[in-house]
């Protein structure tokens, strides 16, 4: 894998003070949620908020 | 030469889609004719799992999720088949279900030595292919030594929880992003790709980021 390098700066802060919302690209890919690994997941803040509002989580 | 595009990847060592997604991402990055800097971040799928779970992954799924064992088999077979499609020979019968927090600490230790990518690959292969234990400090130290890290230094770092706060910071950052599942890829700090998607998806995102950079500098 030419062109792939590891992290260059180990001293950068791990958690930025404010994270910009992510724009999601692509489809919902196969992923693991909790200890269950057989579901396509599309993760975004809106979905989390919806689930919080609905009492799902 | 243009600045490398940063890709932050949230992943867990015992996540089958994370290893598959790693291969797909690598294939996508290989199709991109530019520099890519990768950093792995910790995501604990099941932080309450004991280090020495007594049973197979099928037992684990059955006990934890209440899925009948006869349904677990086909689920695992599907994952094994998709893994084989990307060149990974998963051996689920040999897997040691465990707690991965120490493996995540080791990945942060390896990052501090500039060896995180090698350590990540070794840990995933150890878990899914080799049937090695990735939850115990001594076993992890052996794996670290295999890639040239100082075994005694690894043991000391893991026993003292030196990198535990880094693991927890990664988990907190994932929550801030709203990440629910892994693998999850953050490209250039603004685009998210969820799950083990096709290689071309990753290539497209990398090309999009580069195009946007070129528009800004034009």
């Amino acid at each position: 894998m030419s062109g792939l390098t590891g992290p260059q700066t180990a001293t950068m802060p791990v958690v930025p003070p404010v994270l910009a919302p992510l724009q999601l690209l692509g489809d919902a890919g196969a992923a693991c949620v909790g200890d269950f690994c057989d579901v396509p997941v599309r993760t975004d803040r809106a979905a989390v908020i919806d689930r919080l509002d609905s009492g799902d989580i | 030469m243009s600045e490398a595009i940063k890709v932050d990847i949230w992943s867990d060592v015992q996540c089958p889609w994370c290893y598959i997604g790693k291969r797909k991402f690598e294939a996508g990055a290989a199709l991109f004719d530019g520099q890519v800097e990768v950093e792995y971040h910790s995501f604990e799928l099941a932080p309450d799992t004991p280090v020495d779970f007594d049973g197979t992954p099928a037992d684990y799924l059955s006990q934890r999720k209440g899925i009948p064992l006869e349904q677990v088999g086909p689920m695992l077979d599907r994952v094994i088949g998709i893994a084989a499609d990307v060149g990974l020979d998963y051996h689920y019968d040999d897997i040691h279900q465990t707690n991965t927090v120490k493996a995540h600490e080791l990945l942060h230790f390896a990052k501090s030595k500039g060896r995180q990518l090698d350590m990540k690959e070794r840990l995933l292969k150890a878990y899914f292919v080799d049937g090695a234990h990735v939850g115990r400090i001594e076993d992890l130290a052996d794996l670290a030594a295999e890639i040239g890290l100082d075994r005694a230094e690894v043991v000391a770092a893991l026993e003292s929880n030196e990198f535990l706060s880094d693991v927890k910071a990664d988990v907190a950052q994932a929550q801030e992003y709203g990440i629910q599942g892994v693998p999850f890829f953050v490209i250039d700090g603004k685009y998210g790709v969820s799950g083990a998607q096709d290689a071309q998806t990753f290539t497209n995102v990398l090309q999009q980021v580069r195009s946007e950079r070129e528009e800004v500098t034009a």
Side-chain angles (χ1 to χ4, degrees), chain A residues 1-10 12-45 47-49 51 57, chain B residues 15-17 25-26 29 35-39 45-46 60-61 64-65 67 75 78 111 116-117 166 169-170 173 176-184 186 189-197 201 205 208:
Chain A
M1 253 69 65
S2 62
L4 275 189
T5 61
Q8 302 298 305
T9 50
M12 287 180 65
V14 176
V15 182
V18 178
L19 295 175
L22 296 174
Q23 180 180 340
L24 288 168
L25 300 175
D27 299 321
C32 295
V33 178
D35 46 16
F36 195 61
C37 295
D38 199 34
V39 288
V41 174
R42 182 76 186 240
T43 304
D44 60 26
R45 287 180 171 180
V48 174
I49 291 168
R51 292 183 67 198
I57 54 177
Chain B
C15 157
W17 296 112
F25 168 76
E26 289 166 346
Q35 291 295 312
V36 179
E37 180 190 334
V38 177
E39 181 171 354
L45 284 165
Y60 180 84
L61 278 173
R64 295 275 297 230
K65 306 300 290 187
I67 304 171
M75 282 172 51
R78 174 172 169 262
K111 182 171 76 173
Q116 191 194 41
L117 300 191
D166 296 290
D170 275 354
Q173 190 173 359
E176 179 71 14
Y177 271 134
I179 295 171
Q180 297 174 1
V182 287
F184 193 95
V186 176
K190 56 184 176 182
Y191 294 117
V193 175
S194 178
Q197 300 202 21
T201 297
V205 177
Q208 179 174 335

Side-chain angles (χ1 to χ4, degrees), chain A residues 25-26, chain B residues 28-29 31-32 187 191 193 198-211:
Chain A
L25 300 175
Chain B
L31 294 172
F32 173 69
I187 295 96
Y191 294 117
V193 175
D198 290 340
Q200 191 62 50
T201 297
F202 296 110
T203 309
N204 292 345
V205 177
L206 293 168
Q207 288 173 339
Q208 179 174 335
V209 169
R210 182 171 58 189
S211 296

Side-chain angles (χ1 to χ4, degrees), chain B:
Chain B
M1 189 172 71
S2 62
E3 185 181 348
I5 296 174
K6 180 75 184 296
V7 180
D8 294 284
I9 305 173
W10 271 263
S11 167
D12 196 357
V13 174
Q14 58 186 357
C15 157
W17 296 112
C18 293
Y19 204 5
I20 293 167
K22 182 175 186 292
R23 282 291 181 273
K24 292 189 172 188
F25 168 76
E26 289 166 346
L31 294 172
F32 173 69
D33 58 345
Q35 291 295 312
V36 179
E37 180 190 334
V38 177
E39 181 171 354
Y40 279 94
H41 297 273
S42 304
F43 194 97
E44 295 180 90
L45 284 165
D48 55 341
T49 305
V51 172
D52 288 302
F53 176 79
D54 185 17
T56 65
D59 294 331
Y60 180 84
L61 278 173
S62 181
Q63 291 176 23
R64 295 275 297 230
K65 306 300 290 187
I67 304 171
L69 273 174
E70 58 269 25
Q71 290 181 23
V72 173
M75 282 172 51
L76 297 182
D77 287 343
R78 174 172 169 262
V79 174
I80 289 169
I82 294 172
D85 289 342
V86 296
L88 296 172
D89 187 15
Y90 281 9
H91 289 170
Y92 261 95
D93 290 342
D94 300 327
I95 279 177
H96 295 283
Q97 197 85 37
T98 186
N99 187 297
T100 58
V101 67
K102 288 297 173 190
H104 285 299
E105 290 179 40
L106 175 55
L107 286 165
H108 280 280
F109 173 90
K111 182 171 76 173
S112 75
K113 305 296 182 185
R115 301 295 307 280
Q116 191 194 41
L117 300 191
D118 294 329
M119 196 71 254
K120 182 70 177 181
E121 177 65 26
R122 186 67 193 96
L123 285 169
L124 287 167
K125 181 174 181 290
Y127 184 79
F128 284 107
V129 178
D130 299 337
H133 201 296
V134 299
R136 302 178 188 135
I137 290 176
E138 292 296 326
D139 297 81
L140 290 167
D142 288 341
L143 294 169
E146 283 185 25
I147 69 161
L149 296 175
D150 186 294
R151 193 183 188 288
E153 197 178 350
V154 169
V155 171
L158 298 187
E159 286 183 342
S160 66
N161 300 323
E162 182 180 349
F163 293 91
L164 179 59
S165 61
D166 296 290
V167 174
K168 298 307 178 188
D170 275 354
V171 172
Q173 190 173 359
Q175 290 174 341
E176 179 71 14
Y177 271 134
I179 295 171
Q180 297 174 1
V182 287
F184 193 95
F185 305 78
V186 176
I187 295 96
D188 206 30
K190 56 184 176 182
Y191 294 117
V193 175
S194 178
Q197 300 202 21
D198 290 340
Q200 191 62 50
T201 297
F202 296 110
T203 309
N204 292 345
V205 177
L206 293 168
Q207 288 173 339
Q208 179 174 335
V209 169
R210 182 171 58 189
S211 296
E212 290 171 356
R213 286 182 177 182
E214 289 170 352
E215 286 174 11
V216 169
T217 57

